[in-house]
Amino acid sequence: MGEHKIKKTLKQIFSHPIPTNIEWKNIENLLEHKGFKIENTKKNHMKIKSNSGQELVLIVHGHEINSKDEIVKLKHFLQENGISEESIL
């Protein structure tokens, strides 16, 4: 995934109002680019693990995350791992 798409995906996650249609593949590529490990734990559940051992489970519907709650969980998880809106620049 190119740097432009990574920045665009980060911008979507941190945007306001919260989007409800971020493509999962773009999020997956962003997370892998940032060093996170992703595991499909069961139908529609993706476990994300940071290098520090923190974990987050997101529910993915089809090919996108379409729940504001899931986007907020992801946003907070990224912030806890040192990734913020400022890291877009």
Side-chain angles (χ1 to χ4, degrees), residues 4-80:
H4 174 73
K5 283 192 175 186
I6 290 170
K7 288 180 182 179
K8 182 179 175 186
T9 303
L10 262 176
K11 193 170 193 164
Q12 283 182 296
I13 293 167
F14 286 97
S15 67
H16 193 75
I18 300 167
T20 56
N21 61 345
I22 301 177
E23 289 287 324
W24 169 248
K25 191 67 178 163
N26 293 343
I27 293 173
E28 185 176 28
N29 288 334
L30 161 73
L31 293 169
E32 288 174 347
H33 177 79
K34 294 292 187 178
F36 295 93
K37 303 292 182 219
I38 302 167
E39 176 187 340
N40 187 346
T41 58
K42 57 182 174 178
K43 187 175 176 122
N44 299 332
H45 288 75
M46 300 296 176
K47 184 190 289 185
I48 303 164
K49 190 181 279 190
S50 70
N51 290 332
S52 65
Q54 289 179 301
E55 292 183 356
L56 170 70
V57 175
L58 292 176
I59 300 170
V60 179
H61 296 280
H63 297 289
E64 59 188 26
I65 296 181
N66 56 13
S67 161
K68 289 183 181 184
D69 291 337
E70 295 299 298
I71 299 296
V72 170
K73 283 174 25 180
L74 175 61
K75 178 180 169 180
H76 291 171
F77 182 74
L78 291 173
Q79 288 172 324
E80 290 169 5

